[in-house]
Amino acid sequence: RRGASAGLAVRWLILGGGVITPTVVLGALLIYGLQLMPKFREPGSADGLRVEVSGEQWWWRVSYQRTGGAAPIDVDLANEIRLPLGRRTELRLSSPDVIHSFWIPALGGKVDMTPGRITTLVLEPTRAGTYRGVCAEFCGASHAFMEFEAVVMEPPAFEAWLQQQSLPAIEPVSAATRRGLQVFESSGCGACHRVRGTDANGPVGPDLTHVGSRLGVAAGTLPNNAAGFRRWIARTHALKPDALMPAFGMLPGEDLDALALYMESLQ
């Protein structure tokens, strides 16, 4: 039965449960979170490792650098990021064309990559494994074909991988791969792509020095094998609409096969 005491209890319930308690709890969490934020924005690990990530239409340019007087390294990847387990790594995110959004759901929140601006993200992975990353901002015709892999490795394995990636490309050993290198050079691929140890030093497309050791081809569109390379080279725009790379389907079949084998051999 309604009465004066019932109305008073309802008012105190609304005031205490709907105003006072949320204000106190959320205020305490805000103060606690603000105290934690400076730590999460500190620069990378003591060894000076820094990763430059550029979101481009429609792939990811990844460059490893060491700062603070550490020995320089020359490692460029595409569509793949490797991180040491339990170490803080500074990622500097940018874009030369349109707004992209860098997102590895298992490791951290998404961060926009805005042309003309560099944004810093610090990650400290706590579990080894391979995690899927994506672009979380619509960026054009092939936005859906712009994913990458983030591989978290034990520190000794990571350092060994980093050292191996800094080496120049291996010389082709078979007749087919030597033919593939000739096709690569004669078809003008070196104008856009770099292969350290050869005359190819193009700055436009992905660095292909160790492309055969990566987990996928064309930002996760195809598997990393000779068949995947052949399909990508011959049918680029069918697989990724509006991609800047021209298709080379006009090459003879033997040349396409040799070129694909050469790409696969770049371990």
Side-chain angles (χ1 to χ4, degrees), residues 39-51:
K39 175 184 176 182
F40 289 123
R41 293 185 60 84
E42 290 175 359
S45 57
D47 61 1
L49 180 66
R50 187 172 71 193
V51 184

Side-chain angles (χ1 to χ4, degrees), residues 75-92:
V75 174
D76 289 310
L77 300 181
N79 310 311
E80 184 174 309
I81 296 175
R82 305 228 176 189
L83 301 172
L85 176 67
R87 292 184 184 174
R88 297 176 66 82
T89 303
E90 178 185 359
L91 282 71
R92 290 167 58 87

